[in-house]
Amino acid sequence: MKPVAVAIENVALHFGTTQVLRDINLKVEPGEFFALLGPSGSGKSTLLRLIAGFNRNQAGRVLIDGRDVSAVPPWQRNVGMVFQNYALWPHMTVAQNIAFGLEERRLPTADIKRRVAAVMELVELNGLEQRRPGQLSGGQQQRVAIARTLAIEPQLLLLDEPLSNLDAKLRLQTRQELKKLQRRLNITTLFVTHDQEEALTTCDRIAVLDQGVIQQVGTPLALFDHPQNRFVSQFIGSTNLFAGQFLAGDTGPSFASPALGLLALPSVLVAPSEPSEMAFRPHAVRLCSAEQPALAGHLQLSGVVHHQEFLGAFLRYEVRVGSALVLADQAHVRGQPSLPLGTAVSLLIPATEIRFMRL
Ligand SMILES: Nc1ncnc2c1ncn2[C@@H]1O[C@H](COP(=O)(O)OP(=O)(O)OP(=O)(O)O)[C@@H](O)[C@H]1O
Ligand SMILES: [Mg+2]
């Protein structure tokens, strides 16, 4: 089956007086694995349900394979949706659960048998046909939910937080399996998650949603390296952000920050066109001894270690600089002790890692 494109044009939706989606515009390419990422209540499920046909938009249109489906009921959309809680029938066996949608569509019995066997094989559930959902692990239940959806041979797969009920290890394994399955089937897939790591690792592109508004759309790398606003820079990874004013002086640029003080900036940095905050990622900061001489092309700050967390691969330090706390992630080297609290340090940030984020 040829994968389909999805287009969402100027879509708005409200429940009573609550505006939940505002002027949503999105294009999902055929075969793409696309994430809707945002905090709780940002409108992810509402948007997914709208594409499936369970919610109606009051403005704009939804196109699947170029066809406006706004007036098409869910069962005629050829869209498969996997719900967060899987919604399996507890009293039915795995095979019966998978066959359910096909029986509703009144397919001949032989076809139903064939399709159930095919999707069971596809998601590697062979041998579990006669079990009931209560006799399966979380990951197996999730595969039954996906198999049930794939059995109707949808053109479009919608997954609402499908991994959130699994433990950390199973979640990791299942997301890799899901990605492989999606590639193999080459089926356009929209994946809802509030977990940035899940979206970054699994999906081709991501739309970041906040308060019913799309904040940015891009590949995982583009969103991480070029966040367009404060929200995206903090939701995808962590960011140090400082309010202040960029000053272009004769002796080079500087930044007047109420929290950090007056800082000499690397000369290559140019003034932002709009009022902005200075931003840099914690992993871009290098901690050095307090006697570290100035290094060309770097911003240098002086501070005192205030707090530290060991995260295995790296240590996250909070360093007090002026009245601010700056996050600095340092790779952990086996056997090397962490810096004691109260240590005076220099922080070096290369100019290439410094951004000015519009407010
Ligand atoms: N049927 C409804 N009637 C009224 N308000 C609703 C309805 N469904 C959702 N909402 C509201 O719409 C907003 C978005 O809800 P939605 O379920 O889309 O969020 P979400 O991004 O999926 O969040 P979560 O990560 O918690 O699942 C919320 O403020 C929610 O309370
Ligand atoms: Mg939701």
Side-chain angles (χ1 to χ4, degrees):
M1 204 171 13
K2 216 171 123 277
V4 297
V6 179
I8 296 163
E9 298 177 351
N10 310 110
V11 158
L13 185 151
H14 57 83
F15 293 115
T17 55
T18 315
Q19 194 70 37
V20 176
L21 298 174
R22 298 156 206 262
D23 197 25
I24 301 281
N25 284 283
L26 262 190
K27 270 202 158 82
V28 180
E29 302 296 331
E32 209 172 12
F33 199 162
F34 194 96
L36 297 173
L37 174 68
S40 185
S42 56
K44 306 178 298 291
S45 296
T46 304
L47 182 55
L48 207 65
R49 292 171 58 82
L50 186 108
I51 298 167
F54 299 118
N55 283 338
R56 293 291 293 272
N57 43 308
Q58 288 105 3
R61 23 182 233 163
V62 175
L63 299 134
I64 299 178
D65 204 16
R67 186 167 75 112
D68 184 355
V69 295
S70 300
V72 179
W75 57 91
Q76 286 173 6
R77 288 195 184 192
N78 209 4
V79 167
M81 182 149 169
V82 175
F83 295 90
Q84 183 168 344
N85 57 4
Y86 309 149
L88 299 175
W89 299 107
H91 59 288
M92 290 186 192
T93 65
V94 167
Q96 286 165 341
N97 263 287
I98 296 173
F100 186 75
L102 303 174
E103 281 161 1
E104 272 202 319
R105 284 170 172 74
R106 303 196 189 290
L107 258 69
T109 313
D111 283 3
I112 294 180
K113 272 203 154 145
R114 186 179 48 75
R115 280 210 207 175
V116 170
V119 292
M120 294 270 307
E121 170 113 31
L122 197 64
V123 299
E124 296 174 21
L125 281 172
N126 312 59
L128 302 180
E129 290 82 351
Q130 298 313 317
R131 296 252 193 110
R132 290 180 205 285
Q135 300 166 315
L136 299 174
S137 74
Q140 289 166 335
Q141 288 178 34
Q142 191 236 1
R143 277 184 274 160
V144 177
I146 291 177
R148 184 176 63 175
T149 304
L150 293 177
I152 62 164
E153 298 184 352
Q155 291 177 298
L156 180 63
L157 189 58
L158 306 178
L159 307 167
D160 195 354
E161 308 241 9
L163 311 181
S164 58
N165 291 343
L166 310 180
D167 69 47
K169 195 165 174 200
L170 197 57
R171 201 156 66 209
L172 209 79
Q173 187 191 334
T174 314
R175 83 179 181 214
Q176 287 168 357
E177 282 174 10
L178 198 60
K179 182 166 187 165
K180 279 189 211 150
L181 184 68
Q182 193 271 344
R183 285 278 176 270
R184 196 145 38 95
L185 297 172
N186 193 24
I187 182 173
T188 312
T189 303
L190 271 102
F191 178 92
V192 161
T193 179
H194 62 263
D195 180 337
Q196 50 128 338
E197 187 185 302
E198 209 163 272
L200 291 176
T201 52
T202 319
C203 296
D204 299 318
R205 283 194 307 150
I206 302 170
V208 181
L209 227 75
D210 185 39
Q211 297 179 27
V213 178
I214 292 185
Q215 304 291 320
Q216 194 171 348
V217 179
T219 62
L221 217 67
L223 290 181
F224 190 85
D225 281 352
H226 306 286
Q228 274 168 8
N229 61 33
R230 171 178 242 277
F231 178 83
V232 177
S233 76
Q234 289 188 311
F235 199 71
I236 304 216
S238 312
T239 299
N240 290 297
L241 278 166
F242 300 103
Q245 203 182 353
F246 189 102
L247 306 167
D250 294 341
T251 54
S254 56
F255 189 71
S257 154
L260 301 173
L262 183 66
L263 310 173
L265 291 175
S267 56
V268 293
L269 292 178
V270 291
S273 53
E274 295 168 86
S276 303
E277 287 178 303
M278 184 171 67
F280 50 85
R281 298 282 192 191
H283 72 259
V285 182
R286 185 149 61 89
L287 289 188
C288 311
S289 86
E291 288 79 46
Q292 167 72 34
L295 197 59
H298 288 69
L299 167 66
Q300 188 161 1
L301 306 170
S302 302
V304 173
V305 174
H306 173 77
H307 182 74
Q308 60 108 338
E309 279 177 357
F310 180 53
L311 290 146
F314 64 93
L315 285 135
R316 169 159 291 185
Y317 289 98
E318 267 179 35
V319 182
R320 182 164 293 286
V321 179
S323 64
L325 289 173
V326 178
L327 295 179
D329 292 348
Q330 307 296 294
H332 171 58
V333 179
R334 186 160 177 259
Q336 193 172 300
S338 59
L339 294 170
L341 303 188
T343 308
V345 287
S346 273
L347 298 83
L348 286 176
I349 303 109
T352 48
E353 294 285 352
I354 298 171
R355 294 173 54 84
F356 289 94
M357 201 76 68
R358 69 165 190 266
L359 298 177

